[in-house]
Amino acid sequence: MKLLKPLVGAAVLVALPTLTLAQDGPTPGVNASTDTVFILNSLLFLVGGFLVFFMAAGFAMLEAGLVRGKNVTMQLTKNMGLFSLATVFYYLIGYNLMYPLGTWSVEGVLSGVFGPGVLEAVGVTSDAADDYSYASTGSDFFFQLMFCAATASIVSGALAERIKLWPFLIFTIVLTSIIYPIQASWKWGGGFLDGMGFLDFAGSTVVHSVGGWAALVGALILGPRIGKYKDGKTIPMPGSNLTLATLGTFILWMGWFGFNGGSQLAMGTVGDVADVSRIFANTNAAAAGGALVALILTQVLYKKPDLTMILNGALAGLVSITAEPLTPSLGMATLIGGVGGVIVVFAVPFLDKLKIDDVVGAIPVHLFAGIWGTIAVVITNGDASLMVQLYSILVVGIFTVVASGIVWMVLKATMGIRVGEEEEIMGLDTTELGMEAYPEFSKG
């Protein structure tokens, strides 16, 4: 069985009531208590996994709503492609690279386990399960895959409206099969950051900041959209459909209950289930805090509330609480999420001043709020060390920047990563795909 994220709430075997497996009583020789833990833990992974899967729809709708109408089909195509590629390449390379099973080619740094993932046999019995005392391998693989795919989704929105499809998809392959799994092994695979005491419950750093760093490097190398910055001013480029963007945000909000709640990694005891429910409540509170702070701040700063900032404020609140959604009180969770809302409102114009064009606000939401959330762990979790948290942020950041920078530069030098000026002006839907999302509204 793969090593699972070493987080709070590992499964504990307790004397549970005997299960009635049939009308004539329990099957002889079956340990009902262990069966119960195995089944409930696996169920948590599966339910959490398909909630995180639905976040793929949330990312797609958010991006479709925040890009201009002439680029919507491209964003939808990228999201379908990246999720499918993540599924294949995490299976082929990433899963075993992420969980070394104690076998390291470089101790605590690089897995010595290579090759595709392998599930348990069809109809496996308790004596042949990979880890009968915990959960099924299939449920673990499915759950972890969804986190890997979410990392790639973060990059997609930031680089919208000017990146070529195939270079982006090639980058996705490298990100999901090598970059993400290697750094995730340092924490969730029992690597050196985990050994130092780094705490990241569900991935403010391991998932969100990694996607944010990769997006930032890509945006710097790719450059801003044509006409975005002119004469020292930032030219607004409104999205095509704020209804879709709002729907996408609520889908992501819902999916986050699986993202954080499933990361309890156990549902076999009263304590575990109580903790999962606490995580759900704190996750929701942080999202609300981020949205409300963005609502109030934009009213104060701009005299009118900004819906796009409110949407990203909610997402930043969710990212902020992801590193530690268990230990805060509801009030503290709301405050932690609220700081995420502050970060978004000030970071979006800050990036524009630097002429870093992030179409959907992914860098403030996932990178900046991810850093904040990782630091905020020390506020509520007494086991956290500020220096270890900062060191881990720095290590993961440097690795991701260097690795993704190399990939982006190689792609730029070999096949080019940016569409031509004429193609960008006309829109990627017609020039790259020959298919418009809203053909009845096109000109001519």
Side-chain angles (χ1 to χ4, degrees), residues 13-369:
L13 301 185
V14 295
L16 296 174
T18 301
L19 291 180
T20 302
L21 302 179
Q23 288 184 350
D24 295 332
T27 302
V30 173
N31 186 331
S33 297
T34 307
D35 270 4
T36 301
V37 172
F38 183 90
I39 291 166
L40 290 178
N41 289 350
S42 300
L43 181 63
L44 177 66
F45 290 142
L46 294 173
V47 173
F50 73 66
L51 280 170
V52 181
F53 164 77
F54 201 39
M55 292 176 71
F59 279 115
M61 293 301 97
L62 179 68
E63 293 172 24
L66 292 181
V67 301
R68 290 170 290 180
K70 61 185 180 180
N71 296 308
V72 172
T73 303
M74 175 60 86
Q75 288 309 111
L76 300 177
T77 303
K78 285 162 59 182
N79 276 273
M80 288 296 295
L82 72 85
F83 188 89
S84 301
L85 287 169
T87 297
V88 172
F89 283 91
Y90 188 67
Y91 150 67
L92 290 175
I93 303 172
Y95 185 53
N96 278 330
L97 197 59
M98 184 168 163
Y99 292 111
L101 291 171
T103 304
W104 300 90
S105 58
V106 179
E107 183 61 35
V109 177
L110 183 63
S111 174
V113 184
F114 295 92
V118 179
L119 304 181
E120 286 152 322
V122 176
V124 67
T125 55
S126 59
D127 60 341
D130 288 341
D131 192 347
Y132 176 51
S133 66
Y134 193 61
S136 68
T137 300
S139 65
D140 175 41
F141 170 81
F142 180 73
F143 185 66
Q144 303 300 342
L145 165 62
M146 299 305 137
F147 282 63
C148 179
T151 306
S153 297
I154 294 166
V155 183
S156 173
L159 308 183
E161 301 199 321
R162 74 271 201 203
I163 193 169
K164 292 180 180 179
L165 174 62
W166 288 106
F168 170 78
L169 294 180
I170 292 171
F171 179 82
T172 296
I173 291 173
V174 179
L175 178 66
T176 57
S177 64
I178 299 175
I179 298 175
Y180 170 79
I182 286 177
Q183 62 81 34
S185 75
W186 299 342
K187 168 56 188 172
W188 292 340
F192 74 98
L193 293 182
D194 183 57
M196 293 177 62
F198 175 46
L199 299 181
D200 190 5
F201 195 100
S204 286
T205 286
V206 174
V207 176
H208 294 283
S209 77
V210 168
W213 285 119
L216 175 61
V217 174
L220 289 170
I221 294 173
L222 193 62
R225 289 168 289 175
I226 296 172
K228 178 63 178 177
Y229 305 112
K230 187 176 181 181
D231 299 328
K233 295 182 179 180
T234 300
I235 308 303
M237 294 181 173
S240 63
N241 193 324
L242 292 183
T243 304
L244 280 184
T246 304
L247 173 63
T249 301
F250 274 116
I251 292 174
L252 288 167
W253 191 327
M254 183 181 75
W256 233 286
F257 297 127
F259 202 100
N260 288 354
S263 293
Q264 174 69 11
L265 302 180
M267 199 170 68
T269 69
V270 171
D272 283 325
V273 174
D275 284 351
V276 171
S277 63
R278 182 182 177 97
I279 291 166
F280 272 45
N282 281 339
T283 298
N284 188 67
L292 287 174
V293 167
L295 168 67
I296 295 167
L297 267 181
T298 52
Q299 174 69 58
V300 171
L301 295 174
Y302 307 125
K303 309 306 178 185
K304 293 180 181 178
D306 185 325
L307 176 60
T308 62
M309 289 287 196
I310 297 168
L311 300 179
N312 276 330
L315 297 177
L318 289 161
V319 172
S320 299
I321 201 64
T322 294
E324 184 48 87
L326 176 61
T327 57
S329 65
L330 281 170
M332 183 56 70
T334 306
L335 291 174
I336 290 171
V339 173
V342 174
I343 289 171
V344 161
V345 171
F346 288 101
V348 169
F350 173 71
L351 288 179
D352 282 331
K353 288 182 179 180
L354 298 178
K355 296 185 179 180
I356 299 174
D357 188 9
D358 176 359
V359 178
V360 303
I363 296 168
V365 167
H366 298 280
L367 176 55
F368 296 168

